[in-house]
Amino acid sequence: MKTAVVILNWNTEGFLKEFLPGLLRSVEKVEGAEVIVADNASTDGSLKVMKEMFPQVRTIAFDKNHGFTGGYNKAFEQIDSELFILINSDIEVTEDWLSPIVRWMEEHPECG
């Protein structure tokens, strides 16, 4: 995969239901991009939502909460990608938000 759009989730079941469908629709338009949800040991039913409503989305489930940076770092260890885009679960994206980011990063490989 070229571009991993990674959500670090912790107890945001409602946000996943509300905002993940739009995110998935936008990301599927970008070749080589995939959404991955890394769950930081949620206790609110987030994993059930992922399994039942979004079975096509790769979900990484942690056995404990590793915190913000720790959770992302743990997720990155399990994802093979050239680009990592971090996004919160409560973000509503526009239809073509990802293409300009990927294009810019391709044109500026010195940036991170």
Side-chain angles (χ1 to χ4, degrees):
M1 148 187 34
K2 179 176 179 162
T3 305
V5 178
V6 185
I7 296 173
L8 181 64
N9 180 69
W10 185 72
N11 290 339
T12 64
E13 172 185 357
F15 289 146
L16 292 171
K17 290 178 183 177
E18 184 175 354
F19 298 114
L20 191 52
L23 179 66
L24 292 172
R25 283 191 302 274
S26 69
V27 170
E28 72 184 11
K29 296 176 183 182
V30 178
E31 185 177 342
E34 179 182 353
V35 174
I36 300 167
V37 173
D39 188 82
N40 231 348
S42 291
T43 58
D44 71 341
S46 291
L47 287 175
K48 183 178 179 186
V49 165
M50 292 306 300
K51 183 178 179 182
E52 292 178 0
M53 293 181 67
F54 308 104
Q56 76 279 24
V57 176
R58 179 176 170 197
T59 303
I60 301 169
F62 299 133
D63 61 346
K64 69 177 189 174
N65 188 326
H66 295 280
F68 187 77
T69 56
Y72 271 118
N73 286 335
K74 286 282 212 192
F76 297 157
E77 292 172 0
Q78 298 182 46
I79 302 169
D80 183 24
S81 183
E82 293 176 35
L83 299 174
F84 291 90
I85 309 292
L86 286 61
I87 190 165
N88 290 345
S89 60
D90 62 346
I91 300 297
E92 183 174 15
V93 297
T94 59
E95 189 172 321
D96 189 36
W97 69 278
L98 185 56
S99 296
I101 294 171
V102 170
R103 186 172 44 255
W104 195 91
M105 293 301 293
E106 289 172 340
E107 293 170 357
H108 302 88
E110 72 281 4
C111 290

